[in-house]
Amino acid sequence: MHKNFKILFFLIFSMTIHAQAQSGRIKGIALDMKTRQGIEFATVVLLLANDSSIVKNVFTDSSGHFQLNEVTDGNYILLISSVEYLKKYHGPLLVNSARPVLDVGELLISVHQRVLNSIEVVGQVPLFRNKANGTVEVNVANTILSNSTSAIEILSRSPGVAVTDDGISVLGKGEAIIYLNGRRVTMEQLSAVSSSIIRSIEIIPNPSSKYDAEGKAVINVITVVRTADGYKGTLKQYLSVSDFTGPSRNTNLDLNYKKNKLSLTGSYGLLVGKGKEILNTTRSRLNTPDHFLSVLMTDWDRDYRNFSNYNLGGQYDLDEKSYISAAYTGAYNHLGGRTRSENAITSTSIDGLFRSDIANNNRVRNNSVTLNYGKNIDSLGSSLFVGGQYAGYGSNTDDGIKEDNLVEGQEQLRTLNNKSSYNIRLLTVQLDYTKIFHRHNKIELGAKLGYAANRSGTDFLIAQNGIDFEPDDRQSAWFKYRELIPAAYLNFNGLLGKKTTYGIGLRTEWSKYQLETDGETLQKMEDQYIDFFPSTFIAFKVSGQSEIRASYVSRISRPRYQALNPSGVYQDAYTRIEGNPFLQPERTNAVEIGASFKVYSVKLGYSQRKDPITWAALRGKTENDYVLKPLNLKQLNSWFLSLSVSLNKNWWTSSNTFNISYDKFGADDALFGLKEGRPQLSIYSSNTFNIGKVFRLQTLVRYTGGESDGLYYSKEQLLTAIGIEKDFFNKSLRLNLMANDLFRRDKPAGHYEIGQTYIEYARKNNNKYYRLSLTYAFGRLDKMTYSNKSTGQTENNRAQ
């Protein structure tokens, strides 16, 4: 299969590498004729001058700016429309190689008479739209997604995206890497971003070779762009209450300032409150001589004492074409609370109830500094970027544990202490160069060097009498890991004729690592390997409203640093969580074809994963022990079919997706008792209704059907949310009321079988809550040119 992918790649390469094409850009700003203020979220449609057929469309940003990219040579007319304004036609416009960038300047538009007569008409923004390369752009402002407390919560409620403890994944692809305005960020850094400043999210299922090969997809979060000197701030306060746990409060403050060549930005986010989660697990070996049965309940009662995120950044424009920028990003998380577990074990060798009460005390500190230089080289848009980042991650845990076990009718008491820490240091430097040719073909090339050093240790202490602690060598260990990854890439993008867009690229990464660990046995491992990651896409515009496309990508998923650490995390006397130092990277090859027609878009895709990484509960060293640890399976094959439909009326906007996916592990994984697979049906629907001029009603429904990949079976889940939103004081104050998970059916559950052990689990969380949020915007800032770029976030994500 891998050879076939390479043949396909080089066939497309040979067909397209010598192509020449002509394209350009059209940009401008839509302004209110009376107030001269930018018109937000107006629709800008590009029409052919000869027959008025639609070529493409975009939305203006919050300051009225717009830009249409990859416009082929020809004569066009612009149509700018918004329900609050009269339609504006501008043209004809001639786009050719002599004018690759056409700036139409200020377009003044008159307010519709209905608005002048005080009859308010509010336009709707569709939740998502599909781009030519298969990317899905999800709008956030004025949708139910804007009621979220953070960017991470927005992602968890976006179409085709799933957020779990293991990370963020894209339907049909797998784990994704995250970008913020084109720069890589960690989930912790992303959580500091207020949802009030997020304009849209790009879900990129087929990323080019310019992106790091880590992960199987890319998600780019885009914030609002401003356009004049001054200052602007947003203060947002949330209160969430639930009948399952105590209340929680979120506060987000974002500030922006610009004066002449200097731009500054800063933010602070604070979460305090309660959280709760219950996991019920049953493990059984009923068909074996030892006849084992374990019924385990784990209750996490979390106390978010201080979860703070903060960042400060600045940019100075050296001239009209170059800038330098610097940024500091940090986070401090102090988690308290208790973790209680009860494990009833019955077997031929033991009959007991094992209870533990853990007083949690965990502190995490994350800090990073970046420094960048950028320069636009010519008028066509060629550019040079050089950047570097240093990041440090540290965690300290000091958990007090009390055991109260009842074994064969006898009470056994123990006092334990788990002291653990990890310290990760990351250093990255990066160079990117983009050359745009006269005919607007584009070559991108660059290089990156990443270095990571991870050191962690666990001291597990036992006091049989509750006073005198002694180390337990079986559960104490230290771990060191060092990694070096140089990388380079080359991309070529262009047009064939006037209707075919294509891109082709190659990325190579050389990895060298050394791992040392000390526990019951001393292990030292080192290795080095090189990988090549080709990628390509091609899209053909059948007409102004229809298009077909195809793509191929190759990716890699390296284990997170702590997943390699064999030091155990205590759960109860017979249950532990451990890393696996023998984990291998997971490699993926994926193909996708798609088509779009008017409001419909359909995708069909297949991916093959070699050495897929998964987690499972495995038998320990004794017949009653179980260890939850990551491991590699042989192969995972995945298929998916997706259909999306969007409707947009003056009073109603509806965005819907329907997906069918099927995952199947390879037959060589016979140890895990593979069974017949079962496809999964997923439905996503987001709707916004304007209830006159009183308020907006927003609904969200996400259904995930039952699924089996031959090993794991997941039960169905249903999320239903409803909210209302109203603006006050000329939209400077916004009130949101939301009820989430109305029927409490968004709960993961399922089962799997490994060897002779059958494992069933069911998780209950506090997804059912009611939330009140207030957003206050102040100041005036219409342009924010700050564009700091983080260069080391591939390594940062693996540090989490």
Side-chain angles (χ1 to χ4, degrees), residues 335-366:
L335 177 65
R338 312 191 78 84
T339 302
R340 301 175 178 88
S341 70
E342 292 187 358
N343 190 1
I345 298 178
T346 303
S347 70
T348 56
S349 63
I350 196 172
D351 185 1
L353 177 63
F354 301 88
R355 292 171 295 200
S356 66
D357 187 346
I358 304 175
N360 299 119
N361 185 16
N362 173 253
R363 288 178 170 87
V364 177
R365 294 175 176 86
N366 301 330

Side-chain angles (χ1 to χ4, degrees), residues 111 124 136 148 186 197 211 245 269-270 300 353 385 415 440 477 502 652 753 766 773:
V111 176
Q124 298 293 329
V136 178
S148 306
T186 64
I197 67 170
Y211 294 97
T245 186
L270 174 65
W300 291 273
L353 177 63
F385 169 83
T415 302
H440 216 66
Y502 71 93
W652 172 41
E753 188 171 354
N766 60 328
S773 65

Side-chain angles (χ1 to χ4, degrees), residues 392-583:
Y393 297 82
S395 172
N396 290 280
T397 299
D398 188 1
D399 290 346
I401 306 170
K402 292 186 179 296
E403 285 186 352
D404 184 2
N405 304 325
L406 188 64
V407 183
E408 305 294 345
Q410 300 294 319
E411 187 178 42
Q412 298 177 357
L413 302 177
R414 288 199 311 172
T415 302
L416 315 173
N417 185 213
N418 181 28
K419 296 180 182 291
S420 62
S421 64
Y422 70 80
N423 192 300
I424 301 175
R425 295 291 180 262
L426 307 173
L427 177 65
T428 57
V429 291
Q430 180 175 334
L431 182 146
D432 297 297
Y433 174 73
T434 300
K435 175 61 178 177
I436 300 178
F437 296 99
H438 181 67
R439 295 180 179 272
H440 216 66
N441 288 332
K442 179 172 65 174
I443 284 183
E444 299 171 308
L445 58 90
K448 179 180 177 181
L449 177 65
Y451 173 77
N454 177 12
R455 182 181 180 90
S456 61
T458 299
D459 292 322
F460 199 85
L461 309 175
I462 300 177
Q464 299 291 350
N465 57 6
I467 300 175
D468 300 320
F469 285 91
E470 296 181 356
D472 181 358
D473 294 336
R474 295 181 302 109
Q475 301 188 76
S476 301
W478 57 265
F479 170 78
K480 291 193 299 184
Y481 181 83
R482 291 183 294 275
E483 180 183 76
L484 180 69
I485 303 180
Y489 73 88
L490 175 65
N491 273 336
F492 186 82
N493 297 276
L495 289 153
L496 293 172
K498 295 184 178 181
K499 294 187 175 182
T500 303
T501 306
Y502 71 93
I504 190 165
L506 180 66
R507 185 181 185 91
T508 181
E509 296 184 352
W510 177 68
S511 304
K512 180 181 180 180
Y513 71 89
Q514 183 182 76
L515 182 153
E516 295 180 69
T517 180
D518 180 29
E520 293 182 342
T521 60
L522 177 65
Q523 298 175 353
K524 183 175 181 179
M525 302 170 56
E526 57 184 8
D527 195 8
Q528 56 185 327
Y529 53 89
I530 188 169
D531 288 286
F532 295 91
F533 305 98
S535 64
T536 186
F537 84 91
I538 188 167
F540 177 73
K541 186 174 290 294
V542 180
S543 65
Q545 293 182 299
S546 60
E547 179 184 74
I548 56 176
R549 55 186 177 270
S551 65
Y552 160 74
V553 294
S554 175
R555 311 286 292 174
I556 190 172
S557 295
R558 299 180 180 90
R560 295 186 179 183
Y561 304 128
Q562 290 303 103
L564 298 168
N565 186 357
S567 302
V569 177
Y570 174 93
Q571 190 168 355
D572 63 48
Y574 289 98
T575 307
R576 291 165 52 79
I577 303 173
E578 293 181 359
N580 181 0
F582 300 100
L583 278 180

